Amino acid sequence: SQQGEEDPQALSIQEGENATMNCSYKTSINNLQWYRQNSGRGLVHLILIRSNEREKHSGRLRVTLDTSKKSSSLLITASRAADTASYFCATDDDYKLSFGAGTTVTVRA
Amino acid sequence: DSGVTQTPKHLITATGQRVTLRCSPRSGDLSVYWYQQSLDQGLQFLIQYYNGEERAKGNILERFSAQQFPDLHSELNLSSLELGDSALYFCASRQGPGTGELFFGEGSRLTVL
């Protein structure tokens, strides 16, 4: 069973715009991670936020975590065509990473 | 390149058959994870090994089995294959449980006809 659920399922934006996607989860976690997957390829790690952190930045990525609401968000600023991909949140309980169904982001040139 | 190697990349077989998928983790990583990705089920956790021992089990069918060998490579065995087993099977590795990011291989695409 999947732990996280991403919202929206799909997102289409213009190049240069920001993309925001959300993740909700059900049980307690040690950390939450975001991954990107280009069509049919392996997942690539983007960013990890620990349960005692509230916000983290990495380049054009900004992640927030609200453990009281069991939710996280990923913001991609100034999007580029190369950002077109599926984005997954994953909750880590030390034993396994449980992935959501993902958000498919399409960046139009 | 993540450093995780999966073979074969593509596999086409018939219902009822058995296949073995192989994974070589990133150098130094002791934990290996197997995931199944299909269109209707998303990315499902199957099983995790740490230094040769099974550590966590997910939605892995009884027809499926896995092991991690002393050299740390892992194999996922799928038997009595059904049409619904068609999917991308990913292996991922990291140093140890709870030690940060997973490094994914490029996957093995299984098609059952």
Side-chain angles (χ1 to χ4, degrees), chain B residues 88-113:
Chain B
L88 253 178
Y89 290 85
F90 285 108
C91 169
S93 73
R94 61 182 177 181
Q95 281 190 325
T99 56
E101 66 181 282
L102 281 181
F103 293 86
F104 278 79
E106 288 298 313
S108 292
R109 182 173 293 280
L110 173 66
T111 302
V112 183
L113 300 175

Side-chain angles (χ1 to χ4, degrees), chain B residues 81-92:
Chain B
L81 286 168
E82 302 175 358
L83 296 178
D85 298 327
S86 295
L88 253 178
Y89 290 85
F90 285 108
C91 169

Side-chain angles (χ1 to χ4, degrees), chain A residues 20-69:
Chain A
T20 299
M21 59 211 86
N22 303 296
C23 169
S24 60
Y25 58 92
K26 296 171 185 164
T27 62
S28 61
I29 59 171
N30 291 327
N31 64 69
L32 186 142
Q33 304 181 30
W34 285 89
Y35 288 78
R36 184 183 76 195
Q37 183 182 32
N38 289 92
S39 182
R41 304 293 301 275
L43 281 73
V44 175
H45 179 262
L46 294 176
I47 195 165
L48 179 154
I49 185 164
R50 301 195 185 285
S51 59
N52 61 355
E53 297 176 311
R54 292 294 167 260
E55 188 171 311
K56 203 160 181 181
H57 296 255
S58 176
R60 293 184 296 112
L61 305 179
R62 173 180 170 254
V63 168
T64 63
L65 179 64
D66 187 334
T67 53
S68 66
K69 294 181 179 177

